[in-house]
Amino acid sequence: MKPPIRLSARESIIEASFALFSHNIGASLSEVAERAGVGRATLHRQFANRDDLLRTLARLAIAEMNAAADAASADAKSYSEALRATLYALIPLGDRHGFLAREPLEADPDLAKEFERLDQEMNELVEAAKGEGLFDTALPTPWISQVFDSLLFTAWESVKLGHTTTNQAADLAWLTLIQGLGAKKK
């Protein structure tokens, strides 16, 4: 039997932070250190302060969400199908990443650039899905992208509160997106 894989101090702090902050964004760095099984000094050697830790978590969350969306949409036969697959892939990540949606991270220039890049990619995907007839062409593309993001957050919250399962939340979010913003039927 192989011994369990031991995380580095940095990895332990990151995993403890995701776990704690997803249920209590106000958790202290002392609580993070305790959950990670490290001392405060070790935590501060890895992360200068809470903002540094949150920026690191945001970068990791973005990478994890990008990987999930890319994997889910890799075999999509249309942009509409890719958008749907992306939504369904991102909703299960809410328990891990949802708290970051409440944090003002745009002040970090690198994260602001990354958020801008993600917005541009989403707008391009929505525009392509519009071209396929998924959405009403009279609606502004950035509006549809923002609604997508809002529905994603709403789904995360619904699952977190126990109102829905991840699959139910995904179904409801997709239905709301396409029925509320869908192309008009003639």
Side-chain angles (χ1 to χ4, degrees):
M1 185 166 158
K2 292 182 181 180
I5 296 174
R6 183 166 158 79
L7 298 177
S8 69
R10 184 177 185 82
E11 292 167 328
S12 294
I13 293 165
I14 287 168
E15 291 307 313
S17 298
F18 274 126
L20 280 173
F21 293 159
S22 68
H23 298 288
N24 176 14
I25 190 58
S28 69
L29 292 181
S30 293
E31 290 173 286
V32 170
E34 183 179 329
R35 172 98 180 227
V38 300
R40 285 285 307 256
T42 299
L43 185 145
H44 285 291
R45 278 193 294 277
Q46 298 296 321
F47 301 98
N49 54 42
R50 183 182 190 81
D51 288 342
D52 183 29
L53 176 58
L54 286 171
R55 285 190 302 271
T56 298
L57 296 176
R59 285 185 198 96
L60 288 169
I62 289 168
E64 290 173 6
M65 291 174 75
N66 281 339
D70 289 347
S73 63
D75 296 326
K77 303 207 182 337
S78 68
Y79 294 108
S80 300
E81 189 179 314
L83 190 64
R84 183 179 190 276
T86 296
L87 180 68
Y88 276 74
L90 296 180
I91 289 175
L93 300 177
D95 190 45
R96 182 170 170 85
H97 302 140
F99 71 91
L100 290 166
R102 292 187 191 92
E103 289 301 305
L105 299 165
E106 294 82 8
D108 179 275
D110 293 333
L111 284 175
K113 279 184 191 175
E114 185 63 14
F115 292 140
E116 195 173 301
R117 183 188 67 76
L118 292 170
D119 286 345
Q120 181 62 36
E121 283 182 8
M122 178 56 79
N123 286 337
E124 290 170 5
L125 181 57
V126 166
E127 191 65 30
K130 262 177 136 174
E132 294 173 345
L134 183 65
F135 298 115
D136 184 341
T137 56
L139 294 171
T141 295
W143 176 264
I144 297 170
S145 294
Q146 289 174 336
V147 169
F148 180 95
D149 287 345
S150 296
L151 287 170
L152 178 62
F153 181 76
T154 300
W156 286 350
E157 287 296 300
S158 180
V159 171
K160 180 180 177 179
L161 294 171
H163 297 158
T164 59
T165 66
T166 55
N167 284 340
Q168 289 168 332
D171 289 342
L172 290 168
W174 182 251
L175 187 64
T176 303
L177 184 70
I178 62 169
Q179 286 187 351
L181 304 176
K184 301 289 186 229
K185 305 292 184 220
K186 293 181 181 184

mmCIF file of all heavy atoms in Angstrom, residues 30-49:
data_model
loop_
_atom_site.group_PDB
_atom_site.id
_atom_site.type_symbol
_atom_site.label_atom_id
_atom_site.label_comp_id
_atom_site.label_asym_id
_atom_site.label_seq_id
_atom_site.Cartn_x
_atom_site.Cartn_y
_atom_site.Cartn_z
ATOM 1 N N SER A 30 -5.431 32.696 11.094
ATOM 2 C CA SER A 30 -5.121 31.721 12.148
ATOM 3 C C SER A 30 -5.923 30.440 11.925
ATOM 4 O O SER A 30 -5.396 29.333 12.092
ATOM 5 C CB SER A 30 -5.453 32.286 13.528
ATOM 6 O OG SER A 30 -4.610 33.350 13.840
ATOM 7 N N GLU A 31 -7.195 30.590 11.557
ATOM 8 C CA GLU A 31 -8.026 29.415 11.274
ATOM 9 C C GLU A 31 -7.513 28.662 10.044
ATOM 10 O O GLU A 31 -7.514 27.428 10.022
ATOM 11 C CB GLU A 31 -9.480 29.839 11.051
ATOM 12 C CG GLU A 31 -10.165 30.329 12.312
ATOM 13 C CD GLU A 31 -11.534 30.907 12.021
ATOM 14 O OE1 GLU A 31 -11.605 32.036 11.462
ATOM 15 O OE2 GLU A 31 -12.534 30.228 12.337
ATOM 16 N N VAL A 32 -7.054 29.406 9.046
ATOM 17 C CA VAL A 32 -6.493 28.773 7.849
ATOM 18 C C VAL A 32 -5.256 27.975 8.233
ATOM 19 O O VAL A 32 -5.107 26.809 7.844
ATOM 20 C CB VAL A 32 -6.154 29.820 6.760
ATOM 21 C CG1 VAL A 32 -5.355 29.183 5.623
ATOM 22 C CG2 VAL A 32 -7.419 30.481 6.230
ATOM 23 N N ALA A 33 -4.368 28.589 8.996
ATOM 24 C CA ALA A 33 -3.136 27.910 9.408
ATOM 25 C C ALA A 33 -3.464 26.650 10.207
ATOM 26 O O ALA A 33 -2.876 25.579 9.971
ATOM 27 C CB ALA A 33 -2.260 28.857 10.222
ATOM 28 N N GLU A 34 -4.409 26.764 11.127
ATOM 29 C CA GLU A 34 -4.793 25.605 11.933
ATOM 30 C C GLU A 34 -5.351 24.488 11.051
ATOM 31 O O GLU A 34 -4.973 23.329 11.185
ATOM 32 C CB GLU A 34 -5.831 26.023 12.979
ATOM 33 C CG GLU A 34 -6.237 24.887 13.903
ATOM 34 C CD GLU A 34 -7.253 25.335 14.943
ATOM 35 O OE1 GLU A 34 -7.229 26.517 15.352
ATOM 36 O OE2 GLU A 34 -8.071 24.491 15.344
ATOM 37 N N ARG A 35 -6.241 24.830 10.138
ATOM 38 C CA ARG A 35 -6.840 23.828 9.246
ATOM 39 C C ARG A 35 -5.782 23.188 8.348
ATOM 40 O O ARG A 35 -5.868 22.006 8.019
ATOM 41 C CB ARG A 35 -7.929 24.494 8.402
ATOM 42 C CG ARG A 35 -8.517 23.643 7.313
ATOM 43 C CD ARG A 35 -9.806 23.030 7.766
ATOM 44 N NE ARG A 35 -10.411 22.193 6.755
ATOM 45 C CZ ARG A 35 -11.672 22.246 6.424
ATOM 46 N NH1 ARG A 35 -12.473 23.112 7.008
ATOM 47 N NH2 ARG A 35 -12.156 21.428 5.533
ATOM 48 N N ALA A 36 -4.785 23.970 7.954
ATOM 49 C CA ALA A 36 -3.717 23.467 7.084
ATOM 50 C C ALA A 36 -2.680 22.648 7.852
ATOM 51 O O ALA A 36 -1.874 21.962 7.235
ATOM 52 C CB ALA A 36 -3.035 24.632 6.374
ATOM 53 N N GLY A 37 -2.708 22.762 9.170
ATOM 54 C CA GLY A 37 -1.730 22.033 9.981
ATOM 55 C C GLY A 37 -0.355 22.684 9.968
ATOM 56 O O GLY A 37 0.665 22.003 10.073
ATOM 57 N N VAL A 38 -0.356 24.016 9.826
ATOM 58 C CA VAL A 38 0.904 24.757 9.828
ATOM 59 C C VAL A 38 0.792 25.904 10.829
ATOM 60 O O VAL A 38 -0.298 26.276 11.251
ATOM 61 C CB VAL A 38 1.253 25.320 8.428
ATOM 62 C CG1 VAL A 38 1.392 24.205 7.405
ATOM 63 C CG2 VAL A 38 0.243 26.360 7.970
ATOM 64 N N GLY A 39 1.920 26.466 11.182
ATOM 65 C CA GLY A 39 1.925 27.622 12.071
ATOM 66 C C GLY A 39 1.691 28.910 11.299
ATOM 67 O O GLY A 39 1.808 28.953 10.070
ATOM 68 N N ARG A 40 1.349 29.957 12.025
ATOM 69 C CA ARG A 40 1.135 31.271 11.393
ATOM 70 C C ARG A 40 2.380 31.751 10.672
ATOM 71 O O ARG A 40 2.297 32.335 9.594
ATOM 72 C CB ARG A 40 0.724 32.312 12.449
ATOM 73 C CG ARG A 40 -0.683 32.232 12.969
ATOM 74 C CD ARG A 40 -1.729 32.753 11.999
ATOM 75 N NE ARG A 40 -1.471 34.092 11.496
ATOM 76 C CZ ARG A 40 -2.083 35.189 11.886
ATOM 77 N NH1 ARG A 40 -3.007 35.136 12.810
ATOM 78 N NH2 ARG A 40 -1.806 36.349 11.350
ATOM 79 N N ALA A 41 3.533 31.484 11.246
ATOM 80 C CA ALA A 41 4.779 31.923 10.606
ATOM 81 C C ALA A 41 4.953 31.244 9.246
ATOM 82 O O ALA A 41 5.360 31.883 8.272
ATOM 83 C CB ALA A 41 5.969 31.631 11.513
ATOM 84 N N THR A 42 4.629 29.972 9.191
ATOM 85 C CA THR A 42 4.727 29.243 7.917
ATOM 86 C C THR A 42 3.752 29.831 6.901
ATOM 87 O O THR A 42 4.105 30.042 5.737
ATOM 88 C CB THR A 42 4.438 27.742 8.126
ATOM 89 O OG1 THR A 42 5.413 27.219 9.023
ATOM 90 C CG2 THR A 42 4.480 26.979 6.823
ATOM 91 N N LEU A 43 2.536 30.115 7.341
ATOM 92 C CA LEU A 43 1.550 30.719 6.448
ATOM 93 C C LEU A 43 2.086 32.039 5.901
ATOM 94 O O LEU A 43 2.013 32.299 4.698
ATOM 95 C CB LEU A 43 0.226 30.938 7.183
ATOM 96 C CG LEU A 43 -0.928 31.449 6.308
ATOM 97 C CD1 LEU A 43 -2.239 30.851 6.768
ATOM 98 C CD2 LEU A 43 -1.017 32.949 6.301
ATOM 99 N N HIS A 44 2.658 32.859 6.765
ATOM 100 C CA HIS A 44 3.142 34.180 6.341
ATOM 101 C C HIS A 44 4.427 34.091 5.519
ATOM 102 O O HIS A 44 4.742 35.022 4.782
ATOM 103 C CB HIS A 44 3.289 35.121 7.533
ATOM 104 C CG HIS A 44 1.960 35.612 8.024
ATOM 105 N ND1 HIS A 44 1.168 36.482 7.303
ATOM 106 C CD2 HIS A 44 1.254 35.311 9.142
ATOM 107 C CE1 HIS A 44 0.053 36.714 7.959
ATOM 108 N NE2 HIS A 44 0.079 36.010 9.077
ATOM 109 N N ARG A 45 5.142 32.987 5.606
ATOM 110 C CA ARG A 45 6.280 32.798 4.698
ATOM 111 C C ARG A 45 5.784 32.489 3.291
ATOM 112 O O ARG A 45 6.440 32.798 2.302
ATOM 113 C CB ARG A 45 7.203 31.682 5.185
ATOM 114 C CG ARG A 45 8.198 32.122 6.253
ATOM 115 C CD ARG A 45 9.288 31.090 6.471
ATOM 116 N NE ARG A 45 8.797 29.840 7.029
ATOM 117 C CZ ARG A 45 8.568 29.607 8.315
ATOM 118 N NH1 ARG A 45 8.791 30.555 9.200
ATOM 119 N NH2 ARG A 45 8.119 28.439 8.732
ATOM 120 N N GLN A 46 4.630 31.879 3.200
ATOM 121 C CA GLN A 46 4.062 31.522 1.901
ATOM 122 C C GLN A 46 3.228 32.656 1.297
ATOM 123 O O GLN A 46 3.230 32.847 0.083
ATOM 124 C CB GLN A 46 3.180 30.271 2.034
ATOM 125 C CG GLN A 46 3.911 29.032 2.486
ATOM 126 C CD GLN A 46 4.950 28.588 1.472
ATOM 127 O OE1 GLN A 46 4.738 28.644 0.274
ATOM 128 N NE2 GLN A 46 6.100 28.162 1.968
ATOM 129 N N PHE A 47 2.510 33.378 2.152
ATOM 130 C CA PHE A 47 1.613 34.437 1.695
ATOM 131 C C PHE A 47 1.798 35.651 2.601
ATOM 132 O O PHE A 47 1.650 35.547 3.817
ATOM 133 C CB PHE A 47 0.158 33.968 1.738
ATOM 134 C CG PHE A 47 -0.070 32.760 0.878
ATOM 135 C CD1 PHE A 47 -0.079 31.487 1.438
ATOM 136 C CD2 PHE A 47 -0.228 32.892 -0.488
ATOM 137 C CE1 PHE A 47 -0.260 30.359 0.650
ATOM 138 C CE2 PHE A 47 -0.410 31.771 -1.290
ATOM 139 C CZ PHE A 47 -0.421 30.504 -0.722
ATOM 140 N N ALA A 48 2.111 36.773 2.009
ATOM 141 C CA ALA A 48 2.414 37.978 2.782
ATOM 142 C C ALA A 48 1.242 38.417 3.660
ATOM 143 O O ALA A 48 1.438 38.875 4.778
ATOM 144 C CB ALA A 48 2.816 39.116 1.850
ATOM 145 N N ASN A 49 0.017 38.252 3.127
ATOM 146 C CA ASN A 49 -1.175 38.693 3.851
ATOM 147 C C ASN A 49 -2.415 38.047 3.234
ATOM 148 O O ASN A 49 -2.313 37.270 2.287
ATOM 149 C CB ASN A 49 -1.276 40.226 3.847
ATOM 150 C CG ASN A 49 -1.217 40.787 2.433
ATOM 151 O OD1 ASN A 49 -1.829 40.262 1.504
ATOM 152 N ND2 ASN A 49 -0.446 41.865 2.268
#
